[in-house]
Amino acid sequence: QLQASGGGSAQAGVSLRLSCAASGRSFSTYALAWFRQAPGKEREFVVAVSRTGATYYGDSMRGRFTISRDNAKNTVYLQMNSPKPEDTAAYYCAAKWDNGVYYGGGYEYWGQGTLVTVSS
């Protein structure tokens, strides 16, 4: 199971960090990712991190978001750097056994989503 937290109202330009805690004993073997879905739009890939710590960013996401993982805490983080109103969305964490494919779908486990609203 994945449990996302840290969403809420945010001010544009003020960094925000989301967390996603996982249960289970295989966390270190999983690839982890964050997706987002804005109102009226399709779900969008933001970033993923492999079991070795390599990161993979979606289009236009690099520099705006930073993913990190703490295997000791079974937690993955998403740092939103200087968020903009267009970053308003529900953010979802996801996980799958690391098969070397990180973009797009194929993720088996999903968190419930945490809503981030960025105001100017």
Side-chain angles (χ1 to χ4, degrees), residues 20-75:
C20 178
S23 59
R25 293 177 289 181
S26 302
F27 184 83
S28 63
T29 67
Y30 278 74
L32 306 164
W34 288 92
F35 292 76
R36 70 180 184 180
Q37 187 167 19
K41 295 188 176 181
E42 294 186 351
R43 188 176 65 193
E44 180 180 31
F45 173 79
V46 179
V47 61
V49 58
S50 74
R51 61 182 178 86
T52 63
T55 56
Y56 304 84
Y57 288 87
D59 293 341
S60 74
M61 302 299 180
R62 186 179 295 276
R64 301 179 55 223
F65 298 91
T66 303
I67 191 171
S68 60
R69 64 188 298 163
D70 186 336
N71 291 338
K73 296 183 178 180
N74 276 17
T75 301

